[in-house]
Each structure stands twice: as structure tokens, then as C-alpha cells.
């Protein structure tokens, strides 16, 4: 058995809580590694925190000003060569289908760090990412490592609903982020892809705290239930509307954008049921997409929803924003203007979608200043590449 296969087998056979120990022992034995560490990105995407049992003793490292952060941000290996030292510290992104999870850091003798070794270690980091996703069903270790602070109960519920924070396929790339990461309550997003279609859901629930999280949880699961039954986009909206109205009898409702992309053609069906807004960045020009507004889910009984037709072209970038973005106020009471939003969109045009939401939300935080956010905020960014 070759060394790469030996490491892969060790990871697949390891207990859920012992993936780091397994990869550390295997890389030490087969790649002469002198140290191996696993860092997980926190919910706010600002730090990388070492995986270890509670209580934590190791210090986290910043995403934007550290060597592991360079590998995480670029999603490429980054090697540190130490002056007057005979070894190298290499950092490898740990991700799953475009969803950035963390960084694997390996220190080994410099003469052993060949291009082939780098390729193999990069693939091992990807395998480790897949194993972490599976292991999270059976252990809290990796979820705990993503937390710089304790989540509110509402935020705990919301993060468990999410499919991830980014994903990538040849036809598209998606990145998304929620703020405040440790205290969100109503905003949410969801996506699912088949061989032919991508379904994207962007929601903005009313209320605060647990009540908002419960409303969003009901809506997301109702939409998933209808989608997984193979129903049309209009019927997905209708059945989710009925589920919310049946429980709240009009006392609570949820705003949602429902989109279904045909991957081969770029044709899109859209149901606009509320306040999330969509913008398009095409050839450097940002503009809002005006849609036919329909009633939010759960407002009235037996609401009929009608999809609209839309199309995207290769090179288009779409933004989906909750009202926590475009309604935020500065300390002086000034609303975040459309001009400022356009500036943030165009300023981030060279970043990959996985990094764009965080960058836009940082612009928003600068406008808001030191005061706490009155509402949670969501940014979803989708780059459309088209059928290969």
C-alpha cells in the first residue's frame, strides 16, 4: 500500500472524535511530519481555532493576518520556509465541495516537501474535510472548535438549518454569511442541487430570538419537505405558506425569495414573497432586480403564488440581501444607502463568492459603527458560470 492510501485508510477507520489524532499519526509515520494541527474557521469567519477538547488552551489565529489564513482565504497551499531551519510548515485548505471548513497545518523536513508531497497533502486535507462533515453527526468536537463565543439558542437553531456557507460546481459558486454570527435569529438561506437544477431559498423571518428561529425552522423544513416531494416552485411556496398559516393563523409571517435555476440554460423561476432583495452585477454595473412582490408566507390562508421568469448569463453575479443590510442605520441615524451598497458590491467584484458576503458585511459594520445591530443581516452571493 502506498503512503497516500495508508493515510486515507487511517482517516476512514478513525473514530469520529479522533480524526486529528489519526491524521497526525499517519502523517508522522508516512510523511515524516514533525507536527500536525487542524484549525477550524469560526462562525464569523474571523479566526481559525485549533481542534482540541474543552477547555481550550491553544490560542486561535486570525484569518486575515496569518499564514494559515492565507491558505484558507486563497484555498491554495501555502508553505512557510524558516530561515536557518531545515524544515517547512505547510498549510492546506480543508474544504468540502467549496465549503471552507478550516486548515490542516503540517511541519516536515524541507527536503521531503516535494511537489508530489504537496499534491498528496492537499488531497489528504480534502479527504479530512469530508470525514469531518460525516463525523459531526456523532461528535460535537469540530462544532465546538468553530466557536469563539457561546451561541445564543436562536443562533444554535439557525446554524443547524444551514446547508453550509459556500458551495461550488462548474455551473455556479455560492457564498453566504449571517451576522451577528453568534446571535442571529430570523434570517436564513438554503440550497439544493440536482443534475439539472439549483434551488436557492433566502428567508427573512419576523420577530426576535427564539420565536424568530422557530418560525424560520418551520418555514425551511416545510419548503424542504415540498421540494423533496418533487413539487413545483409555486407549490413549494403554497405548502410552506399553509404550514405557517396553519400554526400561527396570520399572527406571524416570513419573507422569502425562492429561485430555481436551470443549469443548462440559465433560465430561472422566481417567487418573490417579501422583503429579501436581489441585485445583479453584470459587466461591472450593479443594479437592483425589480420583481413582482407577492405576499409573505403565512400572512393569509390559501395564497396563490406565481413564479416569474428571469435569466442569468455567464459572468453574472447575483446578491441576495435581507433588510438587516439595507435598513441598518449609522450612529447619526443615516440609513445604509443604495450608493454605499453599490460601492461595496463593485469593490468586492474580484473576490470569490465565498469571501464576498463577509467583506460586504464588514463594510456594513463600518457604517453602523460601535453600536449593536438592531437586526440580523444576511448576504448571499452567487456567481453564474453557465453550463460547461
Amino acid at each position: 500500500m502506498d503512503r497516500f492510501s495508508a493515510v486515507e485508510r487511517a482517516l476512514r477507520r478513525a473514530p469520529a472524535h479522533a480524526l486529528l489524532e489519526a491524521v497526525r499519526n499517519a502523517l508522522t509515520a508516512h510523511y515524516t511530519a514533525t507536527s500536525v494541527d487542524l484549525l477550524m474557521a469560526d462562525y464569523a469567519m474571523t479566526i481559525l481555532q485549533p481542534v482540541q477538547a474543552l477547555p481550550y488552551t491553544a490560542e486561535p489565529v486570525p484569518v486575515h493576518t496569518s499564514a494559515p489564513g492565507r491558505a484558507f482565504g486563497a484555498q491554495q497551499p501555502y508553505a512557510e520556509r524558516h530561515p536557518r531551519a531545515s524544515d517547512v510548515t505547510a498549510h492546506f485548505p480543508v474544504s468540502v465541495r467549496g465549503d471552507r471548513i478550516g486548515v490542516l497545518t503540517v511541519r516536515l523536513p524541507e527536503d521531503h516537501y516535494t511537489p508530489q508531497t504537496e499534491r498528496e497533502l492537499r488531497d489528504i486535507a480534502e479527504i479530512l474535510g469530508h470525514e469531518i462533515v460525516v463525523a459531526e453527526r456523532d461528535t460535537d468536537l469540530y462544532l465546538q472548535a468553530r466557536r469563539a463565543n457561546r451561541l445564543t439558542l436562536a443562533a444554535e437553531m439557525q446554524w443547524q438549518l444551514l446547508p453550509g456557507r459556500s458551495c461550488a460546481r462548474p455551473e455556479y459558486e455560492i457564498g453566504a454569511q449571517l451576522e451577528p454570527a453568534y446571535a442571529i435569529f430570523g434570517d436564513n438561506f438554503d440550497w439544493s442541487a440536482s443534475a439539472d437544477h439549483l434551488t436557492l431559498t433566502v428567508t427573512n423571518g419576523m420577530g426576535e430570538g427564539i420565536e424568530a428561529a422557530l418560525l424560520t425552522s418551520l418555514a425551511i423544513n416545510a419548503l424542504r419537505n415540498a421540494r423533496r416531494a418533487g413539487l413545483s416552485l409555486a407549490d413549494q411556496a403554497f405548502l410552506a405558506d399553509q404550514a405557517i398559516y396553519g400554526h400561527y393563523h396570520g399572527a406571524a409571517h416570513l419573507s422569502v425569495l425562492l429561485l430555481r435555476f436551470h443549469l443548462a440554460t440559465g433560465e430561472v423561476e422566481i417567487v418573490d414573497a417579501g422583503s429579501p432583495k436581489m441585485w445583479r452585477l453584470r459587466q461591472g454595473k450593479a443594479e437592483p432586480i425589480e420583481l413582482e412582490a407577492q405576499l409573505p408566507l403565512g400572512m393569509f390562508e390559501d395564497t396563490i403564488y406565481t413564479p416569474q421568469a428571469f435569466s442569468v448569463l455567464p459572468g453574472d453575479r447575483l446578491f441576495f440581501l435581507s433588510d438587516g443590510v439595507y435598513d441598518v442605520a449609522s450612529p447619526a441615524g443615516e440609513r445604509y444607502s443604495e450608493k454605499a451598497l453599490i460601492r461595496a458590491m463593485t469593490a468586492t467584484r474580484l473576490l470569490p463568492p465565498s469571501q464576498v458576503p463577509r467583506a460586504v458585511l464588514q463594510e456594513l459594520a463600518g457604517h453602523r459603527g460601535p453600536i449593536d445591530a438592531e437586526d440580523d443581516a444576511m448576504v448571499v452571493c452567487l456567481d453564474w458560470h453557465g453550463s460547461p
Side-chain angles (χ1 to χ4, degrees):
M1 183 185 303
D2 63 87
R3 62 182 186 174
F4 177 84
S5 299
V7 177
E8 183 179 20
R9 174 177 289 188
L11 280 170
R12 301 207 185 281
R13 291 183 172 183
H17 66 278
L19 293 177
L20 175 56
E21 180 182 359
V23 74
R24 180 179 285 152
N25 291 339
L27 292 181
T28 299
H30 299 287
Y31 287 83
T32 64
T34 56
S35 71
V36 178
D37 291 296
L38 173 61
L39 307 173
M40 302 291 289
D42 83 314
Y43 287 105
M45 304 289 277
T46 57
I47 63 169
L48 294 164
Q49 190 152 265
V51 171
Q52 56 185 300
L54 294 175
Y56 293 137
T57 55
E59 289 295 321
V61 298
V63 165
H64 300 294
T65 58
S66 67
R70 290 185 63 168
F72 181 78
Q75 289 294 285
Q76 296 288 338
Y78 175 70
E80 293 182 274
R81 287 176 167 81
H82 312 285
R84 298 183 299 278
S86 59
D87 55 12
V88 58
T89 302
H91 309 281
F92 301 90
V94 177
S95 60
V96 179
R97 295 188 176 91
D99 189 15
R100 302 182 299 164
I101 295 175
V103 173
L104 177 68
T105 295
V106 183
R107 189 170 184 133
L108 70 168
E110 185 167 13
D111 58 351
H112 288 200
Y113 190 65
T114 63
Q116 179 181 347
T117 297
E118 181 179 83
R119 288 192 298 270
E120 291 178 2
L121 291 176
R122 180 174 182 171
D123 289 343
I124 287 168
E126 183 177 348
I127 293 169
L128 176 60
H130 284 266
E131 292 300 319
I132 288 171
V133 170
V134 175
E136 285 179 345
R137 300 181 304 181
D138 302 316
T139 179
D140 289 333
L141 180 66
Y142 310 105
L143 291 173
Q144 288 169 337
R146 299 185 189 200
R147 303 177 182 207
N149 300 295
R150 183 174 178 178
L151 270 68
T152 64
L153 180 54
E156 185 82 50
M157 296 167 65
Q158 293 292 67
W159 281 108
Q160 290 301 311
L161 284 175
L162 298 179
R165 283 178 290 189
S166 54
C167 70
R169 273 183 52 166
E171 299 89 349
Y172 62 84
E173 294 178 69
I174 303 176
Q177 181 66 18
L178 299 169
E179 289 291 344
Y182 292 86
I184 55 172
F185 37 84
D187 292 352
N188 208 281
F189 53 85
D190 192 26
W191 57 68
S192 178
S194 66
D196 302 317
H197 294 93
L198 165 69
T199 301
L200 176 64
T201 306
V202 183
T203 58
N204 183 13
M206 65 177 293
E208 298 181 358
I210 296 296
E211 292 303 319
L214 288 170
L215 171 62
T216 303
S217 181
L218 174 61
I220 292 293
N221 281 290
L223 288 166
R224 286 174 175 172
N225 179 258
R227 184 186 73 217
R228 291 165 183 169
L231 301 183
S232 67
L233 203 67
D235 286 341
Q236 292 174 35
F238 176 77
L239 290 182
D241 172 73
Q242 290 298 291
I244 297 170
Y245 185 86
H247 186 78
Y248 290 100
H249 304 290
H253 57 267
L254 179 132
S255 297
V256 62
L257 270 176
L258 278 172
L259 303 100
R260 191 168 187 257
F261 296 79
H262 189 264
L263 298 179
T265 65
E267 297 301 311
V268 189
E269 291 180 88
I270 304 177
V271 172
D272 178 3
S275 61
K277 293 186 178 180
M278 181 169 74
W279 286 66
R280 179 180 63 204
L281 185 64
R282 175 178 286 178
Q283 296 180 346
K285 179 183 179 182
E287 58 184 351
I289 303 301
E290 300 297 335
L291 300 168
E292 181 185 341
Q294 302 179 64
L295 293 173
L297 303 185
M299 183 170 284
F300 298 106
E301 191 173 13
D302 296 327
T303 303
I304 302 299
Y305 293 93
T306 304
Q308 296 175 247
F310 183 71
S311 62
V312 285
L313 300 176
D316 282 357
R317 169 168 286 183
L318 301 180
F319 286 87
F320 307 93
L321 311 165
S322 69
D323 58 8
V325 175
Y326 52 81
D327 277 349
V328 72
S330 72
E334 298 175 352
R335 292 291 169 187
Y336 193 63
S337 68
E338 195 170 281
K339 183 178 179 181
L341 183 58
I342 291 173
R343 185 173 61 248
M345 292 178 182
T346 55
T348 58
R349 64 189 182 278
L350 299 181
L351 292 177
S354 59
Q355 297 184 37
V356 169
R358 179 66 192 167
V360 172
L361 288 168
Q362 283 180 322
E363 285 272 332
L364 185 72
H367 172 80
R368 187 175 59 240
I371 60 176
D372 292 334
E374 297 179 358
D375 192 7
D376 46 355
M378 170 186 57
V379 176
V380 179
C381 176
L382 183 148
D383 275 6
W384 185 258
H385 304 311
S387 182

